[in-house]
Amino acid sequence: MRFYLYYLVLLGFSSVISTYGPHQRAQKTGDILLGGLFPMHFGVTSKDQDLAARPESTECVRYNFRGFRWLQAMIFAIEEINNSSTLLPNITLGYRIFDTCNTVSKALEATLSFVAQNKIDSLNLDEFCNCTDHIPSTIAVVGASGSAVSTAVANLLGLFYIPQISYASSSRLLSNKNQFKSFMRTIPTDEHQATAMADIIDYFQWNWVIAVASDDEYGRPGIEKFEKEMEERDICIHLSELISQYFEEWQIQGLVDRIENSSAKVIVVFASGPDIEPLIKEMVRRNITDRIWLASEAWATTSLIAKPEYLDVVVGTIGFALRAGEIPGFKDFLQEVTPKKSSHNEFVREFWEETFNCYLEDSQRLRDSENGSTSFRPLCTGEEDIMGAETPYLDYTHLRISYNVYVAVHSIAQALQDILTCIPGQGLFSNNSCADIKKIEAWQVLKQLRHLNFSNSMGEKVHFDENVDPSGNYTIINWHRSPEDGSVVFEEVGFYNMRAKRGVQLFIDNTKILWNGYNTEVPFSNCSEDCEPGTRKGIIESMPTCCFECTECSEGEYSDHKDASVCTKCPNDSWSNENHTSCFLKEIEFLSWTEPFGIALALCSVLGVFLTAFVMGVFIRFRNTPIVKATNRELSYLLLFSLICCFSSSLIFIGEPQDWTCRLRQPAFGISFVLCISCILVKTNRVLLVFEAKIPTSLHRKWWGLNLQFLLVFLFTFVQVMICVVWLYNAPPASYRNHDIDEIIFITCNEGSMMALGFLIGYTCLLAAICFFFAFKSRKLPENFTEAKFITFSMLIFFIVWISFIPAYFSTYGKFVSAVEVIAILASSFGLLACIFFNKVYIILFKPSRNTIEEVRCSTAAHSFKVAAKATLRHSSASRKRSSSVGGSCASTPSSSISLKTNDNDSPSGQQRIHKPRVSFGSGTVTLSLSFEESRKNSMK
């Protein structure tokens, strides 16, 4: 039964190998066998299998000369290792290499032959048959090229832990070690390439591109990563399309229509050569030559696209190429290939026929041509001169993929060398044991490869860590047209270093780039025109962010470069110029000493000081005259001093505000005005009380003496001082720069507390209101004492000025705030000075006849008669009413008499004695003592 089971298994696997295994191969036996998968053709014929008969294997079409060179690189590396005396001595490596035709089906067909042979070996059938032609197991596979093909192969090889090293599959999906357990590669992952492509687009300041990707495991992940990178850079993709070499014609035409109608001029392609070729052909047919192509490494150097007939469309392409390597002796090996010397390599015959466009004798295709199934070609001998042929096969100037194949073979050989030289007890397997090189199995090689670490021929470290993909650099190439024969020349114009820091990874020499084959100016591929300096990008509704309208920067903002996303706000001390391209320093303004307005206010203040000082000088000079004495000269002196302070305080409001001036000016103004108003209030109230007192006793004279007057002035002023002290302690004013006004910085004072300022002005106005009341009440005093009328007028002026000040103060800004307050101070100060003192100065200087004691006596007597008459009349009326109510009959009332007696006798000192006018009526005599009596006492001292 056991024999029968093994027989069936052997029969089944033999059937698989003989019936479905690829017949065309390169094969050479050895002690250890390596497998190889290479794209000898770009694709297969698309046949519709109707299954009416047994399905036939699809035919591979379009020969790939570069794929044959890669295959030769593997054979060269194996022969180099076999001829080496240091690497795997006494061990011969063999190979079995198949054509994948760049398709998954052909690749899996070849992979099944590797797996089937390994499975037969695992059954250990030597005891049942004599396998003299036994083929060893494939312990590792080199390949495949395309990521989609490698993905399918890796899924199958991973089931049997057969190591796979790809030389051209860069899809980032293959980095998943959990899914692809046995997959390794010698090419960097395209995740770095997607970032590099986005960096190039950002470098050339494009923001409107078309993305095209192959519809497979290479294109879809690559373009997905690219789109993510573009999104991070705020670059828009207008079209994102998938493509395949198996698309129908109408699909290709629809794609070209969309590309032709797009305003984007840059096309980013993540695809292989065979997939992109149908698109290029259609664009050549339509003669669309105004596009710039950005090519991934899968087709950046492919000979399938780099043809003279396609060059009008693709010239100027920017592509990513892998770093080229050096393989010593490989050039000679390529040139020595002939059909007769390469009997173990069945691909050489087809290569020869495609290179020289002929058929070799005994060729299957020759028989097909005789049957009419293929085109006619002449016969060739196989001894033609390969050096005289124009073929990409001999393009060994930049060995990129070929070098990756070379490194992959040497990596496997190095892993086998490590197994060969393993010391028991230091191995990687159970109990630190070593594998037997003569009975080596694929999983053991996989284990050794995962711990591999060696330097290749270029001195680069090679390792296949489970979590790290190979890193490397990309060479950036530009497709030029050769002036000699019109062929494609790959000009190196820069590089991309993956190991460098972000931002310095990309280097491009712009002087070497030719756009569309001849132009050195970078093409424009943006959705909108660049916004000039002074403007910013404005969003257009329902459009991508890359499509915008240019909006002028707002006032106070600027942009100094093109395509600014936002306008930058100028610093607080600056403002934008007219074009909004830069900022200039704002003009600093305050109520300056040098400007005409400030000079005018300062002159007015100085004039007020000089006028007040002049009045004070006049009063001091004529201090003994009746007019000066009658005005209570001591309080007048203090009043004039306070007015000088008022005028002087206005000067503090002029000039650049400093912290100390801001803290000084309001208290100085407030205290000066309160001192002034207090003096006026005390003066007015004293005169009023004297003239209206019916019986002025010694108590009146005592309490309304000079000391009490000064005490009251001090108390009134002290209240204002305390308001200022509390203000300065809790919320002291300070200098403030107001940046709210365009183009100007106003240096003003921040008052700290508007409530405190309100208390200061309110208290002053309260005293002024009381003073106005007393002045109005005493408006009918003698002519010499008509000072009360003028005080009334001065208080009216004061109220008008400061009531107007409040709305003016809060409605102005900047330096005009200080100007308004200065004007208010000056106006009210001049009003007080003029109303109270100018009339007296006029009498003193220009009407001295009115400044005599007789004049004062007459006005006083007249006022006394009026007062006495009114008092008598009131008294008589009151008496008659009482008599009528009591007796009912009229009684005679004592006659009242009014007499004014004076004594003109000289005083003992010879001076004229000033007498007390007396007013007498029936009930007694009232003595009217005026203020000049006190002056008399002083003059007698």
Side-chain angles (χ1 to χ4, degrees):
M1 186 66 181
R2 180 169 173 243
F3 174 79
Y4 180 70
L5 178 61
Y6 281 143
Y7 175 77
L8 289 177
V9 173
L10 176 61
L11 182 63
F13 278 111
S14 298
S15 175
V16 170
I17 296 171
S18 61
T19 305
Y20 293 100
H23 297 290
Q24 193 177 22
R25 67 188 67 180
Q27 180 171 306
K28 187 176 182 180
T29 60
D31 301 324
I32 297 175
L33 201 63
L34 304 183
L37 297 173
F38 294 91
M40 304 306 299
H41 297 83
F42 286 113
V44 296
T45 56
S46 54
K47 285 185 178 181
D48 186 12
Q49 301 284 357
D50 59 2
L51 301 180
R54 184 173 184 175
E56 296 180 359
S57 179
T58 53
E59 181 183 356
C60 299
V61 294
R62 293 181 297 169
Y63 193 79
N64 184 2
F65 291 94
R66 294 176 70 221
F68 181 67
R69 188 174 72 227
W70 302 342
L71 179 148
Q72 288 289 82
M74 179 174 178
I75 296 176
F76 172 78
I78 290 175
E79 292 187 1
E80 184 182 61
I81 293 168
N82 289 338
N83 294 330
S84 173
S85 59
T86 58
L87 189 59
L88 297 178
N90 303 321
I91 294 177
T92 302
L93 296 180
Y95 52 84
R96 293 175 68 205
I97 302 174
F98 296 101
D99 179 13
T100 65
C101 299
N102 203 39
T103 60
V104 172
S105 59
K106 287 292 183 180
L108 288 178
E109 188 178 358
T111 306
L112 279 172
S113 67
F114 299 143
V115 174
Q117 184 61 48
N118 286 20
K119 204 61 183 175
I120 291 173
D121 289 346
S122 67
L123 295 177
N124 194 15
L125 300 178
D126 291 344
E127 58 180 296
F128 299 102
C129 63
N130 183 15
C131 301
T132 55
D133 295 329
H134 172 64
I135 300 175
S137 299
T138 304
I139 55 96
V141 176
V142 176
S145 60
S147 295
V149 176
S150 288
T151 300
V153 171
N155 280 319
L156 184 55
L157 293 178
L159 294 175
F160 302 96
Y161 294 95
I162 300 175
Q164 173 191 0
I165 302 180
S166 175
Y167 47 85
S169 299
S170 58
S171 173
R172 62 189 182 94
L173 296 182
L174 291 167
S175 300
N176 188 346
K177 301 301 180 182
N178 293 326
Q179 183 176 357
F180 307 105
K181 299 180 179 62
S182 63
F183 179 81
M184 291 162 280
R185 52 185 161 192
T186 57
I187 184 175
T189 174
D190 56 22
E191 185 164 358
H192 299 291
Q193 186 176 196
T195 303
M197 283 183 165
D199 285 344
I200 283 187
I201 292 172
D202 195 21
Y203 176 82
F204 289 116
Q205 298 181 0
W206 296 322
N207 68 5
W208 194 239
V209 300
I210 298 171
V212 179
S214 57
D215 191 11
D216 55 23
E217 284 77 3
Y218 170 72
R220 287 192 300 268
I223 211 68
E224 180 184 342
K225 173 65 176 178
F226 172 74
E227 290 174 351
K228 191 177 296 184
E229 292 287 339
M230 296 285 277
E231 185 178 351
E232 290 179 0
R233 293 165 174 79
D234 291 330
I235 301 174
C236 301
I237 298 177
H238 184 211
L239 294 176
S240 184
E241 302 285 346
L242 295 176
I243 195 172
S244 172
Q245 61 177 315
Y246 303 111
F247 269 16
E248 299 291 338
E249 185 177 352
W250 64 268
Q251 293 176 294
I252 296 297
Q253 290 179 352
L255 174 58
V256 175
D257 288 340
R258 292 189 291 274
I259 292 175
E260 191 173 12
N261 294 330
S262 173
S263 59
K265 300 299 181 183
V266 175
I267 305 175
V268 180
V269 181
F270 247 102
S272 61
D275 287 327
I276 198 65
E277 186 183 20
L279 175 62
I280 300 296
K281 280 184 177 180
E282 181 63 21
M283 296 191 71
V284 170
R285 189 184 69 81
R286 300 192 188 189
N287 195 30
I288 303 175
T289 59
D290 61 340
R291 298 298 193 269
I292 298 298
W293 300 83
L294 189 56
S296 64
E297 41 76 31
W299 72 279
T301 58
T302 179
S303 58
L304 190 63
I305 306 300
K307 295 178 180 179
E309 57 265 33
Y310 297 157
L311 205 51
D312 288 341
V313 171
V314 297
V315 67
T317 294
I318 300 293
F320 287 87
L322 300 174
R323 183 178 178 183
E326 296 181 2
I327 306 177
F330 187 51
K331 175 181 177 181
D332 297 333
F333 179 80
L334 292 177
Q335 295 173 356
E336 292 173 357
V337 62
T338 60
K340 294 181 180 179
K341 293 181 180 179
S342 306
S343 57
H344 59 276
N345 190 348
E346 298 178 10
F347 296 109
V348 175
R349 295 176 64 84
E350 186 178 2
F351 161 73
W352 204 264
E353 291 175 349
E354 292 294 331
T355 301
F356 295 100
N357 195 24
C358 64
Y359 291 130
L360 293 169
E361 294 182 2
D362 301 329
S363 172
Q364 178 62 38
R365 295 199 296 175
L366 176 61
R367 291 191 291 271
D368 293 340
S369 66
E370 292 174 353
N371 297 332
S373 58
T374 59
S375 60
F376 173 78
R377 290 183 183 181
L379 292 175
C380 48
T381 62
E383 295 180 357
E384 287 78 9
D385 184 11
I386 188 66
M387 296 300 296
E390 293 183 3
T391 172
Y393 168 76
L394 295 176
D395 183 13
Y396 40 73
T397 54
H398 297 92
L399 300 176
R400 295 181 172 92
I401 302 298
S402 300
Y403 182 73
N404 286 348
V405 174
Y406 180 80
V407 172
V409 175
H410 271 270
S411 299
I412 298 171
Q414 189 64 45
L416 294 173
Q417 178 70 18
D418 292 342
I419 292 174
L420 179 64
T421 58
C422 177
I423 301 174
Q426 298 181 6
L428 300 175
F429 304 99
S430 59
N431 299 322
N432 296 326
S433 61
C434 298
D436 186 356
I437 194 65
K438 296 180 181 180
K439 297 181 181 180
I440 192 68
E441 296 186 38
W443 65 270
Q444 294 173 322
V445 178
L446 177 61
K447 176 72 171 179
Q448 198 69 46
L449 281 170
R450 288 177 177 176
H451 292 80
L452 182 66
N453 192 353
F454 79 105
S455 298
N456 58 18
S457 60
M458 295 182 64
E460 297 175 339
K461 290 290 184 181
V462 177
H463 57 86
F464 300 104
D465 189 270
E466 292 186 3
N467 300 315
V468 179
D469 281 309
S471 60
N473 299 328
Y474 287 111
T475 299
I476 301 174
I477 61 174
N478 183 219
W479 289 24
H480 290 187
R481 189 193 302 270
S482 173
E484 300 173 356
D485 55 4
S487 62
V488 178
V489 176
F490 301 124
E491 179 72 21
E492 294 186 4
V493 295
F495 61 85
Y496 187 85
N497 187 0
M498 302 179 192
R499 300 185 184 93
K501 293 182 179 179
R502 186 155 190 164
V504 296
Q505 296 171 311
L506 179 67
F507 170 78
I508 294 180
D509 187 354
N510 293 330
T511 60
K512 294 183 178 181
I513 298 179
L514 293 178
W515 304 101
N516 298 113
Y518 59 89
N519 196 0
T520 57
E521 184 179 354
V522 178
F524 182 82
S525 184
N526 293 351
C527 182
S528 303
E529 293 290 335
D530 293 343
C531 288
E532 296 297 323
T535 61
R536 63 171 178 84
K537 298 177 183 178
I539 298 175
I540 301 177
E541 191 175 352
S542 73
M543 291 293 288
T545 56
C546 300
C547 302
F548 49 82
E549 58 184 0
C550 296
T551 305
E552 187 176 5
C553 292
S554 302
E555 294 296 328
E557 296 180 347
Y558 75 99
S559 63
D560 56 1
H561 60 279
K562 287 186 176 182
D563 258 3
S565 298
V566 294
C567 294
T568 305
K569 190 174 182 180
C570 292
N572 285 338
D573 59 349
S574 302
W575 194 252
S576 58
N577 60 4
E578 184 178 355
N579 297 326
H580 300 279
T581 56
S582 62
C583 295
F584 62 88
L585 291 176
K586 288 182 179 180
E587 181 181 355
I588 297 178
E589 283 198 6
F590 50 86
L591 190 58
S592 173
W593 293 101
T594 58
E595 64 176 291
F597 193 35
I599 293 174
L601 293 177
L603 289 177
C604 290
S605 300
V606 173
L607 176 63
V609 171
F610 278 115
L611 286 176
T612 308
F614 173 75
V615 171
M616 181 177 284
V618 170
F619 267 54
I620 294 174
R621 172 68 179 80
F622 297 96
R623 62 184 177 277
N624 294 322
T625 61
I627 289 292
V628 175
K629 291 179 180 179
T631 57
N632 197 339
R633 59 187 173 187
E634 286 77 9
L635 280 180
S636 296
Y637 296 156
L638 185 59
L639 175 59
L640 288 170
F641 171 75
S642 66
L643 284 174
I644 291 176
C645 293
C646 290
F647 283 113
S648 301
S649 67
S650 65
L651 295 174
I652 308 176
F653 289 82
I654 305 174
E656 181 177 353
Q658 305 289 338
D659 287 346
W660 69 271
T661 58
C662 291
R663 294 186 176 100
L664 177 63
R665 65 182 192 173
Q666 297 292 5
F669 142 71
I671 294 172
S672 300
F673 264 89
V674 165
L675 179 61
C676 176
I677 300 299
S678 300
C679 293
I680 297 172
L681 175 62
V682 170
K683 277 183 62 176
T684 307
N685 191 41
R686 180 178 180 276
V687 171
L688 180 65
L689 289 178
V690 167
F691 273 96
E692 290 191 352
K694 294 180 174 55
I695 306 177
T697 63
S698 60
L699 183 66
H700 286 85
R701 290 191 293 272
K702 176 182 178 182
W703 283 106
W704 283 103
L706 191 60
N707 293 334
L708 179 61
Q709 297 173 39
F710 281 113
L711 178 62
L712 290 175
V713 170
F714 170 77
L715 291 177
F716 290 145
T717 308
F718 180 75
V719 174
Q720 185 77 306
V721 171
M722 292 308 299
I723 292 174
C724 295
V725 169
V726 174
W727 180 8
L728 293 178
Y729 179 79
N730 291 311
S735 176
Y736 168 69
R737 289 177 176 258
N738 187 351
H739 300 275
D740 297 337
I741 309 302
D742 301 349
E743 304 182 15
I744 298 174
I745 298 177
F746 286 118
I747 304 181
T748 60
C749 286
N750 180 4
E751 302 300 349
S753 173
M754 296 306 296
M755 182 181 294
L757 179 62
F759 275 119
L760 183 141
I761 297 176
Y763 178 68
T764 306
C765 292
L766 176 64
L767 292 180
I770 298 173
C771 184
F772 174 78
F773 171 75
F774 287 129
F776 181 79
K777 205 174 178 187
S778 60
R779 64 189 182 280
K780 294 181 180 181
L781 290 178
E783 280 188 24
N784 294 76
F785 297 92
T786 54
E787 182 181 23
K789 296 180 181 179
F790 294 110
I791 292 175
T792 304
F793 290 131
S794 67
M795 290 300 103
L796 285 175
I797 294 173
F798 184 88
F799 281 124
I800 292 171
V801 168
W802 288 103
I803 290 174
S804 303
F805 164 78
I806 294 174
Y809 183 85
F810 287 102
S811 61
T812 54
Y813 57 89
K815 65 181 181 181
F816 301 106
V817 175
S818 299
V820 165
E821 192 162 357
V822 171
I823 292 172
I825 293 172
L826 293 178
S828 54
S829 299
F830 274 114
L832 293 173
L833 179 65
C835 291
I836 297 174
F837 292 102
F838 280 6
N839 182 53
K840 295 179 177 59
V841 171
Y842 174 77
I843 293 174
I844 293 171
L845 295 180
F846 300 106
K847 298 289 183 179
S849 59
R850 295 178 58 185
N851 188 15
T852 61
I853 191 169
E854 290 79 5
E855 187 72 18
V856 173
R857 286 176 180 174
C858 289
S859 3
T860 304
H863 179 73
S864 300
F865 281 125
K866 290 178 183 179
V867 172
K870 289 180 181 180
T872 303
L873 290 175
R874 284 196 301 269
H875 179 71
S876 299
S877 299
S879 299
R880 283 195 297 269
K881 289 179 181 179
R882 285 195 300 269
S883 300
S884 299
S885 60
V886 174
S889 59
C890 294
S892 62
T893 59
S895 61
S896 299
S897 63
I898 302 173
S899 62
L900 179 64
K901 299 178 180 180
T902 60
N903 189 355
D904 293 333
N905 296 331
D906 295 333
S907 62
S909 60
Q911 295 181 352
Q912 184 179 3
R913 183 177 177 183
I914 299 177
H915 301 277
K916 300 179 184 178
R918 295 186 179 182
V919 179
S920 61
F921 47 92
S923 60
T925 302
V926 175
T927 303
L928 179 66
S929 299
L930 301 179
S931 59
F932 52 81
E933 181 185 10
E934 298 172 6
S935 302
R936 184 196 64 179
K937 295 177 182 179
N938 295 333
S939 62
M940 292 175 63
K941 292 180 180 180

